[in-house]
Amino acid sequence: MGASVGRRFRFLVAVAAAALLLTATAADAKAQCVPGAPGVGDGDYPTYGNGGYDVRHYNLDVEYDPATDRLDGEASIKATATQTLCSFNLDLVGLEVTRVKVNGRRASWTRSGQELTVTPMRPLKEGRRFKVKIVYGGVPREFILPGTDIRTGFMATPDGANVLGQPEVAAGWYPVNDHPIDKASYSFDVSVPDGYEVVANGILRDRDRHAGWTTWEWEAREPMASYLATIAIGYWDVHRWRTDSGIPVYDAVDSAITGALRAEIDSSLARQGEILDLLIDAFGPYPFSTVGAIVDNQDDLFFALETQTRPVYSRGFWLDGEGNPVNGDSVVVHELAHQWFGDDVALARWQDIWLNEGFATYAEWLWEEYEGRGTPQQTFQASYDEIPADDPFWAVVIGDPGVDLLFDDAVYVRGAMTLHALRNAVGDESFWATVRGWAATKSGGNATTEEFIAYAEEVSGQRLDELFDTWLYTPRKPAPSAVSPAGRAKLRTARARARAKTRLGQLQRRLAVGRY
Ligand code: TRP
Ligand code: ZN
């Protein structure tokens, strides 16, 4: 649990426990269990995730038939109770549940909206591990992106399925504690009719043929946020290779993508090793044991997503407005940068999305520099100069954009600008120490903006609240003095001079009273 969400929770737990104590007698101490909360306390998405337990592992044994679009699954979940629970919730949207077991015994359940409430035969004691098995099925739910008619989630395609969405996707195809705060490892046993091929996060362990179906066994050992789990079903050209630095790669490109478009995609994917080397230089060691890409031929997919170890890309990133093939390297840079920021260091609450998108966009600026197309300072200045002060872009409070603006352009670009403003304020050495140290200390976990600010202050020894207030929480275009390194340098010298003056003054005063 991340600090802020966890603390809020413990408070709720304490209140609930106190309330129970008032009504319970000593004799029914056993009955002192509470229902797990139906959300983790995310300000933007109150019903996302659930309280009272912590998932360690999901095994998703699913069968998908592209002919009917039907998914039948058995989800086995290993978790630990963080309160003594009479019942607990999972998130699941749409699909029908036919059986639930907890620790091998039948459990009862109810459904309401995305909440699946499970009541085991006996309460689950705080601190104890437990297992849940859920048999479920149906046509998986898609999600429509707010303010558009674009579909995301578990999407049927003409030759299989693609699974990507943010924040909504996981609950559309498996029962889950659907919030990034509860990371878990995953194993996927995905059965498809012979001929179809399955790609997922992590490593392909095995393939098993039986009676016209093939089960693809994928394993993602490194703890992962729920929205980063993906399976892709189709006909793939698979390319397995290693980067020069030794990272195993598993790329899957839809075999229906051919010609000049295919050449552009292949050329970007071939540069993944080079891109990772640049990012390793900037951010520190690559956090996972495998990497690679999924590029489907889906024509109504307009996104890429940083699905852990194996981002999914719309082919559209390699097409210009007229539909001509173009270079798409920068999207690969963006999604690979998310492996550090977004995936390995995940959000504790969705409002801090700039921590993901700002870093991923900044990585694109580093790539621009690497490719000789201008320094981050130039890219920063160009964005700053280009967008007039009355543009709605500057009105977005990227430190808390709200659900409708969660993925607004400003979150990406002003997010990267914020990082660059930090770099200008603290200098290169301190900036890179902050970035690398942050990635290292938060590796495998979750983080908040407040923690990032505190960390940057600690590393630089500077007070940075004003800088972050200006860039993250003020719905206006920051003043030029807040952006130009020259302006900042001047400010720094002026401040240093003022400090020196007072030091000199103190010294002189001391001298005057004859202490030296
Ligand atoms: N995080 C994705 C990126 O920056 C973008 C994204 C936002 C997305 N919402 C999504 C992708 C929904 C797929 C579905 O690359
Ligand atoms: Zn992104």
Side-chain angles (χ1 to χ4, degrees):
M1 281 255 160
S4 60
V5 179
R7 215 173 295 126
R8 203 172 316 157
F9 247 124
R10 277 191 289 278
F11 173 71
L12 285 177
V13 174
V15 171
L20 269 170
L21 275 172
L22 288 176
T23 52
T25 65
D28 51 31
K30 245 193 196 167
Q32 282 179 22
C33 57
V34 294
V40 295
D42 191 293
D44 285 323
Y45 301 98
T47 64
Y48 284 21
N50 307 282
Y53 65 94
D54 204 333
V55 178
R56 201 162 54 255
H57 184 78
Y58 294 90
N59 172 247
L60 304 178
D61 187 345
V62 301
E63 183 180 294
Y64 181 74
D65 188 351
T68 59
D69 193 17
R70 199 186 151 87
L71 179 113
D72 284 289
E74 187 173 300
S76 303
I77 302 172
K78 291 181 184 168
T80 305
T82 55
Q83 311 169 226
T84 297
L85 294 167
C86 336
S87 66
F88 61 91
N89 282 18
L90 286 157
D91 301 305
L92 183 69
V93 181
L95 300 166
E96 199 195 335
V97 172
T98 51
R99 194 146 49 96
V100 179
K101 283 187 170 182
V102 176
N103 291 331
R105 297 164 178 242
R106 292 218 165 202
S108 61
W109 74 91
T110 58
R111 306 280 304 266
S112 168
Q114 77 178 56
E115 302 301 327
L116 164 66
T117 303
V118 176
T119 306
M121 298 237 286
R122 299 187 178 176
L124 302 167
K125 286 243 180 74
E126 178 178 350
R128 293 275 175 80
R129 292 181 170 202
F130 65 98
K131 287 182 189 167
V132 192
K133 189 168 278 186
I134 293 156
V135 181
Y136 65 102
V139 174
R141 234 313 271 282
E142 292 180 356
F143 295 91
I144 301 299
L145 220 67
T148 72
D149 53 5
I150 299 171
R151 62 180 187 147
T152 65
F154 194 112
M155 295 172 276
T157 59
D159 64 350
N162 255 336
V163 180
L164 66 157
Q166 184 186 12
E168 281 118 350
V169 55
W173 69 285
Y174 64 97
V176 53
N177 191 19
D178 201 3
H179 193 279
I181 197 72
D182 192 2
K183 290 185 176 188
S185 56
Y186 283 71
S187 48
F188 309 89
D189 300 321
V190 185
S191 301
V192 287
D194 282 347
Y196 289 103
E197 296 159 327
V198 182
V199 190
N201 315 86
I203 287 162
L204 179 61
R205 283 271 172 241
D206 207 356
R207 268 182 305 182
D208 188 20
R209 291 184 70 161
H210 48 93
W213 290 72
T214 303
T215 303
W216 295 69
E217 298 177 19
W218 285 86
E219 188 176 0
R221 280 173 171 250
E222 289 130 347
M224 166 161 88
S226 53
Y227 78 98
L228 298 172
T230 192
I231 56 173
I233 300 166
Y235 305 112
W236 308 106
D237 288 339
V238 170
H239 183 205
R240 306 174 81 147
W241 54 290
R242 264 174 201 274
T243 67
D244 288 344
S245 49
I247 305 164
V249 190
Y250 193 107
D251 290 331
V253 180
D254 192 323
S255 21
I257 304 178
T258 57
L261 171 60
R262 177 58 181 268
E264 284 294 355
I265 292 169
D266 287 348
S267 125
S268 291
L269 299 190
R271 298 191 77 179
Q272 286 173 106
E274 199 183 346
I275 293 168
L276 285 169
D277 284 348
L278 175 73
L279 299 178
I280 289 165
D281 264 353
F283 302 154
Y286 178 68
F288 305 121
S289 51
T290 177
V291 75
I294 298 168
V295 191
D296 199 4
N297 198 33
Q298 185 185 335
D299 52 20
D300 64 349
L301 178 65
F302 304 102
F303 293 103
L305 188 65
E306 59 266 27
T307 37
Q308 191 159 302
T309 67
R310 196 139 298 114
V312 180
Y313 301 92
S314 157
R315 64 177 190 194
F317 287 101
W318 288 273
L319 293 167
D320 70 9
E322 275 84 56
N324 300 311
V326 289
N327 182 287
D329 295 349
S330 65
V331 71
V332 179
V333 175
H334 183 104
E335 303 312 332
L336 290 180
H338 273 310
Q339 302 306 306
W340 281 261
F341 303 110
D343 295 7
D344 186 35
V345 183
L347 300 180
R349 50 175 203 221
W350 283 108
Q351 91 164 65
D352 295 328
I353 188 69
W354 83 275
L355 280 175
N356 291 7
E357 301 307 343
F359 272 111
T361 306
Y362 201 71
E364 292 181 62
W365 294 9
L366 298 174
W367 182 252
E368 288 302 293
E369 181 175 48
Y370 176 84
E371 292 282 81
R373 289 191 291 259
T375 62
Q377 175 61 31
Q378 287 167 327
T379 309
F380 170 93
Q381 196 66 46
S383 299
Y384 182 82
D385 293 342
E386 214 167 76
I387 310 168
D390 60 357
D391 194 292
F393 174 94
W394 298 111
V396 180
V397 176
I398 65 164
D400 189 7
V403 170
D404 290 340
L405 298 178
L406 205 62
F407 294 103
D408 192 87
D409 249 11
V411 170
Y412 288 70
V413 178
R414 189 169 172 164
M417 293 174 94
T418 302
L419 292 172
H420 195 72
L422 171 67
R423 183 173 173 179
N424 282 340
V426 300
D428 274 10
E429 200 182 317
S430 182
F431 175 74
W432 291 115
T434 300
V435 169
R436 276 181 220 124
W438 174 249
T441 42
K442 293 293 180 185
S443 176
N446 302 79
T448 64
T449 301
E450 286 83 353
E451 290 169 337
F452 180 71
I453 296 172
Y455 190 75
E457 290 192 330
E458 189 189 315
V459 173
S460 67
Q462 276 177 241
R463 275 196 67 170
L464 297 164
D465 46 347
E466 212 177 291
L467 180 143
F468 284 107
D469 265 354
T470 302
W471 284 95
L472 298 177
Y473 301 112
T474 308
R476 276 189 306 280
K477 184 170 180 169
S481 66
V483 311
S484 98
R488 288 225 153 249
K490 260 186 223 146
L491 217 64
R492 262 206 303 274
T493 339
R495 280 199 197 127
R497 238 182 246 134
R499 271 199 304 272
K501 244 190 216 158
T502 52
R503 271 202 302 274
L504 195 64
Q506 282 167 355
L507 188 63
Q508 281 165 343
R509 275 193 299 280
R510 283 190 203 121
L511 281 173
V513 295
R515 281 182 60 192
Y516 289 90

